[in-house]
Amino acid sequence: MDSNKKHNVANIKGKDTSIELFLRHTLYQEGYRYLCNVKTLPGSPDIVLRKYKIAIFCDGDFFHGYDLTKIESNLKKNKEFWSNKIETNRRRDNKVNEELVSLGYIVLRYWEHEIRGELEKVLNDIHLAVIQKEKQS
């Protein structure tokens, strides 16, 4: 791998991505208080509404495999590597979801394009999850 590619891969963020910051800012404006990247929970959720036991993940369309068929058809190099990487991410996401649910959390996962283009739907989903948890209390 040449130095330019190494530099690009090294710049991929695992936390505080633009979609996370955007959603966090919006949730704060809506009056929600949250924790970020909680390492004590499985999968270190991007956003945790601890009061309600809601874990929120902001999944990038590419790295978590939204429209995997389209992604694979567009890959020019290292197709096998990226296909395996994305599939591993998806399996891990499912395992993390199961672990969090077993701890009593509602798990919400949003695709990058949903946060960017369907924010009202995302906020409505979160509000409904909060209402559900309040009814359980």
Side-chain angles (χ1 to χ4, degrees):
M1 189 180 288
D2 66 26
S3 64
N4 192 29
K5 287 182 185 175
K6 285 182 185 176
H7 176 74
N8 288 341
V9 173
N11 282 331
I12 297 170
K13 297 166 100 179
K15 61 181 180 176
D16 296 333
T17 63
S18 61
I19 58 173
E20 287 176 43
L21 295 174
F22 181 58
L23 183 56
R24 288 183 347 213
H25 176 76
T26 306
L27 287 173
Y28 191 87
Q29 286 182 321
E30 293 284 318
Y32 291 107
R33 299 304 174 252
Y34 50 80
L35 299 173
C36 304
N37 307 107
V38 180
K39 294 187 186 332
T40 56
L41 290 174
S44 297
D46 299 318
I47 301 168
V48 176
L49 303 175
R50 184 158 294 205
K51 177 179 179 182
Y52 304 107
K53 289 188 92 170
I54 297 173
I56 303 169
F57 292 89
C58 305
D59 293 338
D61 291 349
F62 178 81
F63 287 101
H64 292 268
Y66 179 79
D67 199 355
L68 190 56
T69 307
K70 183 178 178 183
I71 289 171
E72 288 177 337
S73 68
N74 288 333
L75 289 173
K76 304 286 187 252
K77 296 182 180 180
N78 297 323
K79 189 172 188 166
E80 186 176 336
F81 168 82
W82 285 113
S83 294
N84 290 337
K85 171 79 172 147
I86 292 166
E87 188 56 41
T88 300
N89 289 347
R90 294 173 94 179
R91 279 195 301 268
R92 185 181 59 243
D93 291 346
N94 290 333
K95 183 174 184 281
V96 164
N97 290 353
E98 292 171 6
E99 292 172 0
L100 286 166
V101 167
S102 74
L103 293 171
Y105 278 80
I106 291 177
V107 179
L108 302 174
R109 285 189 175 271
Y110 297 104
W111 295 107
E112 174 181 0
H113 71 272
E114 288 178 306
I115 295 169
R116 291 189 197 281
E118 303 171 40
L119 186 60
E120 288 301 316
K121 175 196 167 295
V122 170
L123 291 175
N124 189 53
D125 287 351
I126 294 168
H127 293 314
L128 291 174
V130 167
I131 291 167
Q132 179 182 340
K133 280 297 196 170
E134 285 178 331
K135 285 181 181 178
Q136 291 175 357
S137 298

